[in-house]
Structure formats: structure tokens, C-alpha cells
Amino acid sequence: MKAEIICVGTELLLGDILNTNARFLSRQLAALGITVHRQWVVGDNEGRLAQLVHEALERSDLLVFSGGLGPTADDLTKETVARCFGDTLALEPSILQNIRGYFASTGRHMPPHNEKQAMVPQQGGWFENHNGTAPAVWFEKDGKRAVLLPGPPSELHPLWNEQVGPWLAAGQKQMLYSLVLRVTGLGESHVEEKVGHLLENQNPTAALYAKTGEVHIRITALAKTQTEGEAACRAYAEKFYAILGDHIYGEGDKGLEHALVKALQQKGLTVATAESCTGGLVSQRITQVPGASEVFGFGFCTYANQAKHKLLGVEDRLLETVGAVSSQVASQMAVGAARVSGADIAVSLTGIAGPGGGTDKKPVGLVYVAACRGNDVYVAKLLLGARDRQSIRTSAANRALDMARRLALGLSLPGTKHFAADQTADFEAEER
Amino acid sequence: MKAEIICVGTELLLGDILNTNARFLSRQLAALGITVHRQWVVGDNEGRLAQLVHEALERSDLLVFSGGLGPTADDLTKETVARCFGDTLALEPSILQNIRGYFASTGRHMPPHNEKQAMVPQQGGWFENHNGTAPAVWFEKDGKRAVLLPGPPSELHPLWNEQVGPWLAAGQKQMLYSLVLRVTGLGESHVEEKVGHLLENQNPTAALYAKTGEVHIRITALAKTQTEGEAACRAYAEKFYAILGDHIYGEGDKGLEHALVKALQQKGLTVATAESCTGGLVSQRITQVPGASEVFGFGFCTYANQAKHKLLGVEDRLLETVGAVSSQVASQMAVGAARVSGADIAVSLTGIAGPGGGTDKKPVGLVYVAACRGNDVYVAKLLLGARDRQSIRTSAANRALDMARRLALGLSLPGTKHFAADQTADFEAEER
């Protein structure tokens, strides 16, 4: 089956936003064994859109749209495609009720505009949107289909995953199954050195993708059933596990924060955070995981020196001599966070995220990450280079989450120095 | 002038990579006053590409390509477009020498494949690539032009900025200037009700974009010079300011955290945060702004009840009776954060981000946000609906940032209740 992806939105043509929907839909269609041979982006212009739909129907079997389903007058994708498919739209009372309920749940009245979102195809069909007001709709004519999805990713993704994807999958003979292995603690070229020989295979295929602070390995199998595809990917994944070991921290779309929360839950442990340069990024990521409250209760965002001293008991003497960005202060932050919170494990970060504040001795990108459990403190000194503030913070947060994960699981902590918690003020000698 | 952007690459159609080139080129062309009315992505397939080029030349004046200029056999963009334009390619010795030099500088010999990168149009022309081996090339026929750029952004951006952009600009008589107004505290449909009559204008144009927890208004003027465009946008923006007032918190690409840090800097004030359901998202956003250390020193991530009591002095009695998700606890969290930190302003958030944890009385999406300054405490009760966890947290964080901004600037706090800081435990009556 040949498909085209059509994203509607002037903001895409103006370059205001990145087209993440095209990528998402391409991946999803590839996984169903449906070949995407074009993606295109057009503005909210009825004439241009209708012309393109007619052209696309000449060459393709399936058109997948995103965007243009909003309540305003210039949202006209649904009306235009309906005409191209010779279908008509009519008001669906159950959707109208949902939209009214959606507004009521946020304490507002539905503006009259939004009524047009409740219009659905009379020959085609629709899928209910549980995260917004625009339902997905589909049209069919002469064996060719169009599916229209709302543009916001927070609505498009669940609609696809729960309803539209399975509906399309039901008609497919071969499908692709993918498995992503998530690797931390090794750069892309190091991963490639170790597993390069596994990247030349025909089926399953495997490819590396460098991400901020981690590397992903995507394994993809072409198979007749999901079960067969899953078994092929799993068998191939074992080859990577045999080489990379506990550098593979998880699979799929769940980041290090999920791996940490899971490890803590498994071991019945809790974690606390003490953050300076990351300003709450680590605690924010941990608490983005549903159920984090079982394993996380206290986070300290000690951006000022005074906060490090007052909340965590970091010695003023150290802040004045070796400075806030030092392995000693990182250690005392972690130890203080564990003591005040009573958590089993604590992690801390202090560094220079830039763009200002760097010196020759302490350049932008220098971050100390400490993790403690009981009387054991481990400190990593990161030199993340003069990258942008956000990348430095993300990479440092990844390292903190991984160190906590390793402590929780009883794994070794490569690339760290070990100290005793009651001696964190006395190891200047180690530093120099 | 009408343009189309054509990105060539199977990895884009498979969804392996995000199409950042389409966004970059769209922005650059818009700034030159060249209207992009379509973007395309196609694979490395000669027949499909040739068909698309012929179609595009029927309707557009300029085709801008990225990708497909590599050394391998399946890189055939240049050869295909040359045929469509009736041009031929010939070896350019100076480029071949550059490519050989490029390989030598990395200690390697040029593989024979790469020779095809030195082939340039005989009627059109080329631009030297200082960051890679593939030059940009252009073709012209009957007043229509095509420009072909290499795919890697590290080569495409400098080629555009230094050579291709200025070359296109030289032929332009008009350009576009854009201004984005950022609106908070009003939903998209409410903004549209208020300013709908301003969205029908011809020049400047204005359009609304709904974002999580805020709305953007983009004003775009077509003008002869940048100065003229800027003046036209500014004059039109004043009409929006007259209607929306301080709901417009900023302009351009800077979020509420930037507006808050700027307001605090202007007034010489500091802020502290106390977060439960957002888990550090607010402090993380504030500290994402370079220079935040001037106005922010202390953040409390009190996810557990014990943390709310121990770090912020929230009364156990309240946590047991009205519960952590209540206006009383939100108030005491803010007051406690201000007291412990010594900050001028403090904001707090407590709520149910879901997906679990909701009840009939306290549903998912219920968040209390409190802000205090001196003895004044303001509490907003948000009903954000059963959306995904991340949207609920983002919207709640936006409200907290905006309340702090309003307190800093001495603005009113619409949609809040006002209490005295020393009576936050006693206002159960207000609640019921």
C-alpha cells in the first residue's frame, strides 16, 4: 500500500514550528508495512488543498492528514477533503456533548465556533478524541482512503496509538516490528565500535541514533505477525545486551527517569534530589513518571549558595574556598539531601550551564554530579563542553538519573570517584 | 515570488529523522518575502522526483532542494533536476581539488565516488561548500529557478547564510516582517472572540495559534524594507495591546519564565518556588533563563506531605483534614517558601496531574496555585480537565509563572481569591 502524509498549517510553511507529526506518522506507517512515498505541507488554503488531494488520489491508496481540524473559520481540511471524496458532513450529537463536557470540565462555556468540530462524515466514519475537541475522521472512495487527525501531538499520538493505528493494521498482510534499546554512559562512536558488526544485518535491521546524553539502537523486523516480529527483534536484541550489558538501561520510549523509578520500586528504595545548575530538571523528570510518589518525596533546588548551606548544611567554608562548583560541595549536597529527607539514595548536581559564568579553571559545561547511599558517596566530574544551556542541563540530568539507578540496582558506577560520606569536607587532596 | 521546498531523503520518509531543514528554509524564505506555499519530502527515486519537479515548475517560480547531493549511487537529485531544466553537468576542477583537499585534511584519500560531487551545471552555476564536499548548485530556465543544497544542516546553514540567501535577496523587491505576541490567561476561542475583527486584515495579517497554556498572535507585514515592516507590525500590535492589555506577557520566542525573570530584575525582587504536582518544573523553567540567579535562589520540591510539613511548615492538621490538594495547603506552601527563603515573592502548586489519583471531589486536572507577597496570598483553583500529565503540569506551571509576574509588576490577579498570610489555616469557610 502506498501512502502520503499531508500536514496542513501555515505555521509549518512559515517555519514557525518543526514538523514532528510528519516524522511520527512516517514511523507509524512504516511499522504497519505501509510505504510512505511523499510527505507534503500546505497552508490553510482550500483551493490549493483540493488540487493536491485530487493529484495524490491519482497515485496513492492512503492519505494521512494532520492539522486544520480546529474550530476557527480557516480550519477547513475536513470540509475540503469531504468534497474531494464526495462525502457530506453532519452534526454528531455525542461529539457535541463531549465538546461541551470538555469545556465544562475546565469551567468554561463552549463558544459557538466549536460546533463545527462535531461534524462527521456521513459515508466515512470517526474516532473519538479523548484529549481535545476535534475527533479524527476518515473518508473512503473507490478503495482509496483518507484519515484526518488533529494537529496537536498530545491529541494526535493517543488517537493514532489507540484507534487509528489498529484500524489500519487490521487491513495489512506484512508488518514491521520495532524495538528501541536505550543506551547511556557511552558515546555514539563508542557504541558503534562495539556493535558495528551488528548494524549490517538484513532482517532484522539495526541502526544507531545519537540523542542528547544517550544513544538509541532501533531494531526493526519485517514479519507476518506481531508475535513473529517481536520474537525476531528480541532474539537480535540479545546480541546487543551481550555486548553492552548494563549500559542498556531500558527499551522503548521511556527515558532514564522511568528506569530509575522502576529500579527504586523493585528494590523498595527512595531517592531525593539536590540541584543547583539543573534547577529542578531532575526532580521534574522523576515526577513526570506516574506513581513517582512511591519513591520520591523531597527535592531541593538550591540555586543560591545560601540555599545550599541553609537547606542542605553545605559548609560555608567550602563554598568560600573551593566554590559551589566542586566535588566537595556536590558531595555535601547529596549527603545533606539524604539526611534531611531520610531517603535511601540522594543525587546532587552543581555546575556551570552557561552561557556566562565560565572561567579557565571552571569552564562552561563543567558539572559535578554526586550520588550517595549510606556512607558511600560517588562523584562524577563532567566536561560537557561549550554547548547550549539546555543540552548541558539535559546531559547532566541523565548522568544523575543513571548514577541513582546504578546505586539502586547495586551496579558499579564507572567514571566516578568514591568517598566516605563523613569525610566529604576533607578530600581536597583528592581533587588536586 | 512563489516557492516550494523539496527535501530528498528516504530517512525522512521512514521517520528516522526530523525535518529541520524544511523549517530553516521556510523561515529564511519568509524573511526574504518569498512565499513558501508547499513543502515536499520524497525519497531517492529518480522517476518520482522528476515527476514532482515537472509539476512544481508548472505552479512555482523557485524550487529549493535539500539532500541527495552525496557521493553514492542513490544520490541523484542534481542529475535529475539538471535533466528537468535541460542543463548538463561537467567536472569543475577547482571543486575536485577542494574535495581532494578536504579528504587530505582528515588524513584520507578521496574515494572515486566523490568525483561526481564536483560535477556542476553548464548553464546554471554553483556555490562552494566550505564545510563539506558537495557544492550547492542552481539551474534556471524560462525565468524559473532551482537551488540545490546539501542535506546536513552544518553544511546547509552556512551555505545559505553566506551565499545562497544573499544571492536570492538581491532579486527581491519586498520582504516579510513578523512579530509574535504571547498571550496568557485566555483560551484560544476567548482570544478570538475579543480580537476576531483584527484577524481579517490584508497587510499586516494576523493569526492565532493555540499552545499549551497560552495563545500566540502572529502579525506579519509585507514591506519594502525591514524598518517599514517593523513599523507596520508594531502599529498593528498596538490594537491587540489595547484590547488584551496585560494578558500579552511578552513577544517573540521567549516564554513566561523569561517574562517573570525580566519583571523581577526590573523591580529588584526575588522569587521562591514550592512545588508538589509539578515536581520542579517551575524552578527548572525559571533557571533555564540565563541570569536567573539574580532573582531566584531557593526552590522546594515537596512531593510528599512530610516534605511539605518539614521544609515549609505546612500544618499536619490541614494535610490530614482538607488534604494536600487544597487552597489552604497551597497557601501555606507559598507562605512557608517565602519565609524560609527570604524571597520577596513565592509561588506554590499542589494538584492532581494524573493519570491516577483523581476522585469525584478532587478530579485529575485539579490544581491549586498560590502566590504570596508580604501578607497577601492569592490562590487560583484550576480545573485543567482529564488531559495528559504533561499538559496539566505545563498549564499549571504557566499559571504560577504568570501569577508571580503579576505580583512582581503590581498587576491585578484575575481569577484568584485573596487571603491574609497569617490566616491561611483558617479559611476553610471560604472553601465551602
Side-chain angles (χ1 to χ4, degrees), chain A residues 8 42-54 57 65 68-69 73-87 89 116 139 146 148:
Chain A
V8 182
V42 289
D44 300 304
N45 176 305
E46 191 169 354
R48 282 181 201 161
L49 184 58
Q51 185 197 336
L52 284 178
V53 171
H54 285 300
L57 283 174
F65 291 79
L69 301 184
D74 65 351
D75 291 306
L76 33 75
T77 305
K78 188 165 59 180
E79 293 75 4
T80 306
V81 179
R83 270 190 290 278
C84 294
F85 274 79
D87 203 338
L89 300 172
K116 93 189 195 67
F139 299 95
L148 283 61

Side-chain angles (χ1 to χ4, degrees), chain B residues 3 59 62 83 85 94 127 139 143 145 154 158 162 180-181 205 218 222 259 284 347 362 385 411 420-421:
Chain B
R59 58 189 176 233
L62 173 66
R83 270 192 289 278
F85 274 78
S94 70
F127 300 99
F139 299 96
R145 283 192 287 189
S154 60
E162 292 159 19
V180 172
L181 307 180
T205 59
R218 171 175 283 268
L222 186 65
Q284 186 264 320
V347 286
K362 296 187 177 180
L411 302 172

Side-chain angles (χ1 to χ4, degrees), chain A residues 76 119 138 150 152 154 187 223 236 261 270 279 322 339 385 400 422:
Chain A
L76 33 75
M119 303 289 282
W138 58 268
S154 60
Y236 207 66
V261 169
T270 58
V322 294
R339 186 185 63 244
D422 48 15

